Amino acid sequence: MSGDPESEQATTGVAATRAEQLRTLIRHHDERYHALDDPEIPDAEFDALVIELRELEAEHPELATPDSPSQRVGAPGQVAFAEVRHRVRMFSLDNAFDLDDLTAWSERVLRRLGEESPTPTWACELKFDGLAVSLRYEGGRLVQAATRGDGRVGEDVTANVRTIDAVPERLADGAPAVLEVRGEVYLGLAAFAALNAAQEAAGEKTYVNPRNTAAGSLRQKDAAVTATRDLSFWAYQVGEVVGSPDLASHLDTLEWLGGLGLPVNDRSERFDDFTAVLDHVQAVEAVRHDLDYEIDGVVVKVDDLGLQGELGFTARAPRWAVAYKLPPEERTTTLLDIEVSIGPGGQATPFARLEPVFVGGSTVAAATLHNADQVAAKDVRPGDTVVVRKAGDVIPEVLRPVLSDRPDDRPPWTFPTKCPECGTGLVRGEGEAATFCPNYACPRQVRGRIEHFASRGAMDIEGFGEQRVDLFVTEGLLGDVADVFSLDFDRIAAFEGFGEVSVANLRAAVDEARVQPLGRLLFGLRIQHVGVTVADLVAASFGHFDRLLDATVEELEAVEGLGPIIAVSVHGWLREGRNRDLIDRLRAAGVNLEAAEAVTDDVPQVLDGMAIVVTGTLEGMDRDEARAAIAARGGKSPGSVSKKTRALVAGENAGSKLTKAEELGIPVLDLAAFQRLLATGELPG
Ligand code: IVH
């Protein structure tokens, strides 16, 4: 602050306005989250609002009010259920958002304990993303279950909790007279997916996420509804206990709870050294998606109960524990615009241009919206605040708009009627998900076909990247792939940036491409359904392009590995006049039309028994080829997504399979991730 009273007043005025704004926002989102179980914004955004308010109130203590949402631990008590006063308060946890925060917490612990104290041992547990409940057992029988509420008073949800199979009605022999167990009620990912599948089948609205669905399910007035939800429970703490054995550590306590028949997660670990804790939390981040339930962090606790007693509590949270939050996988950002890109096959794919946002470990500025139906279903509109998800190695996705941020007069987005590249009217076939630009001469398609022809898997022409293809097409040097072999190098030499050496290199690269074997040429021609594998199979079977020219569908189908769809596609391509001309021109340009000697490789069986589903259009690899590549490595490629599916390979215009995989928490791979999987058998973590 400046010390000048007038400007100080002004600063406080700004701070007061912001504090009020934040309180209103926090109350709104708190209600969406806790009372309605239907959050609009990701948890990370909500945390950021609370942190900002707390900081503002710390800086301007005169602005703090006793009813400020910054003072509250969690949800307000709800009126619909009877109140339960917790005999031992249910605290929340302070958060550490990165490794520095976490280290700072451990240093605070050490400082508080003092030099005399033995170095603490650390207990690490997963931070389950559900809702906290307290279960009260008397004489080994479950007598009451309550939500956390505001930490002092919660809601009586006994009848609902009794429907959860994982919560025992009776504890094993040796239970103490009174035992309050705190833990998390959650909905596993498979249960969540099954519930949403049932909702969809019934034509009902699907649920947004497992956490809020678990909360909503637990707070049903009718316990019979809760019973249908397949909720689960992990125990992680005790409240009031009368008559327990002598327990010295937190993890011993968990083991004891496990022995009494309570579900205790087996991923808890004890570490003597804090650097091992730092390694551990990062390792958890890597396995986060292998679990059948959602976690949002790792809780690190001082293991020794005596030391916990010394450390005590702040007004909100224990000093002996901290929640290390994993990087958020969902964030909000502004949807700047929805644009349509034209693929080399003419597919018109809508995508979101986003205000860049750091989410799931990288900055995301664009995300595919797949097709017209998906945009309509999500009802995202340019200008909206939208929730973006990027989990691990999967393709970033726009989940939904934040409707409370949308003015009433914002119009819905409509699919353009004309190709943004060539102005031709776009077409969408009856019952088809994809929209197409039907103009074969559309410059984007021409460029796409030539880029593909020159790409590494096809004719492999060095120095024939996107920018050069763009230039040559724009300058009228290239109209189709056959033109590659009659390039006017004298004109190219006159272009800016082309020295003698680069022109000579380009000429040599084109000459080398002329002798590529038939398999590569066939792949390079972008015949629908013909990827690298199919192209090689056809080449090996026919030996020369001339023998292929008049092949019947039956002859094509007779090729091992070719189904009727591919056979019809190849046959149709060969019958088209413009393609016959193209082949004649390639022949005239001295392009090799003969197959290479067959080579058989022993492909390592890295996908042995794994079910990998393929959907959508993959750039540079046909779906059948992708399936063949999976089969060649010992994997299976079923036509639909189920719980057994290990991964979904999704290209452009992926439809319901993508939705299903996401619901089931199955990793979704783009082409790069799929190629890594084919090479190593490893799924992204
Ligand atoms: S211990 C006094 N352990 O996270 C310590 N909490 O953000 C109380 N949570 O209210 C909490 N997993 O709902 C603890 N392994 C775990 C947890 C856990 C999830 C939740 C719990 C808590 C919230 C705080």
Side-chain angles (χ1 to χ4, degrees), residues 362-619:
S362 61
T363 301
V364 173
T368 178
L369 288 166
H370 304 291
N371 56 45
D373 291 344
Q374 292 246 355
V375 184
K378 288 180 175 163
D379 185 25
V380 283
R381 308 178 183 189
D384 277 352
T385 303
V386 290
V387 180
V388 175
R389 182 176 171 83
K390 165 103 178 63
D393 217 357
V394 302
I395 311 164
E397 208 203 344
V398 175
L399 292 182
R400 58 182 183 276
V402 177
L403 291 174
S404 62
D405 273 8
R406 178 191 282 171
D408 290 340
D409 58 353
R410 183 167 292 151
W413 183 77
T414 48
F415 211 96
T417 51
K418 295 205 164 112
C419 171
E421 295 285 336
C422 69
T424 306
L426 294 174
V427 290
R428 181 176 174 186
E430 266 302 293
E432 297 271 322
T435 307
F436 282 90
C437 165
N439 177 16
Y440 186 76
C442 170
R444 178 64 212 125
Q445 294 187 47
V446 171
R447 290 200 298 271
R449 284 195 295 271
I450 299 171
E451 277 162 23
H452 172 78
F453 186 72
S455 69
R456 201 166 289 161
M459 300 299 265
D460 193 16
I461 313 179
E462 186 111 4
F464 232 86
E466 227 172 274
Q467 276 178 356
R468 284 190 173 176
V469 171
D470 197 5
L471 174 72
F472 299 160
V473 171
T474 313
E475 291 295 328
L477 295 178
L478 289 178
D480 66 25
V481 299
D483 290 338
V484 168
F485 300 102
S486 53
L487 268 179
D488 185 343
F489 288 103
D490 293 339
R491 269 194 67 198
I492 292 175
F495 292 157
E496 204 178 311
F498 282 86
E500 218 172 286
V501 177
S502 63
V503 174
N505 285 345
L506 196 60
R507 191 194 290 270
V510 168
D511 281 339
E512 273 172 40
R514 228 182 283 273
V515 295
Q516 289 284 24
L518 178 61
R520 280 178 173 270
L521 176 63
L522 283 175
F523 172 58
L525 292 172
R526 269 194 70 91
I527 304 168
Q528 205 183 4
H529 303 304
V530 179
V532 177
T533 312
V534 171
D536 282 343
L537 289 173
V538 173
S541 173
F542 288 87
H544 195 283
F545 219 138
D546 285 341
R547 281 197 283 284
L548 183 61
L549 286 179
D550 297 314
T552 61
V553 172
E554 292 70 32
E555 282 168 331
L556 283 160
E557 248 193 279
V559 177
E560 182 74 29
L562 257 66
I565 294 174
I566 305 179
V568 168
S569 167
V570 175
H571 184 258
W573 192 92
L574 290 166
R575 296 271 101 47
E576 273 192 57
R578 69 171 174 233
N579 296 333
R580 300 297 275 223
D581 288 347
L582 190 68
I583 298 161
D584 287 344
R585 288 175 48 230
L586 287 168
R587 186 200 314 276
V591 173
N592 172 44
L593 302 179
E594 221 167 314
E597 298 272 312
V599 267
T600 46
D601 274 343
D602 272 341
V603 184
Q605 300 294 290
V606 289
L607 304 182
D608 193 21
M610 277 165 84
I612 317 283
V613 176
V614 185
T615 189
T617 315
L618 287 164
E619 202 57 66

Side-chain angles (χ1 to χ4, degrees), residues 91-93 125-128 132 148 184 236 299 301 318:
F91 281 88
S92 183
L93 290 170
E125 284 164 50
L126 300 180
K127 184 170 182 325
F128 313 107
R148 187 178 64 188
E184 204 82 351
Y236 51 63
V299 182
K301 298 174 182 170

Side-chain angles (χ1 to χ4, degrees), residues 73 89-95 124-133 148 182-185 211 234-238 250 254 265 268 295-301 308 313 316-323 325:
V73 173
R89 196 174 145 190
M90 286 183 81
F91 281 88
S92 183
L93 290 170
D94 280 333
N95 293 323
C124 291
E125 284 164 50
L126 300 180
K127 184 170 182 325
F128 313 107
D129 204 5
L131 79 158
V133 295
R148 187 178 64 188
R182 270 84 195 264
E184 204 82 351
V185 167
R211 192 247 155 242
W234 295 121
Y236 51 63
Q237 203 68 41
V238 292
H250 175 66
L254 291 188
N265 188 273
S268 298
I295 59 168
D296 61 342
V298 178
V299 182
V300 186
K301 298 174 182 170
Q308 283 191 4
F313 295 82
R316 273 176 30 88
R319 289 200 190 85
W320 43 263
V322 73
K325 298 284 256 196

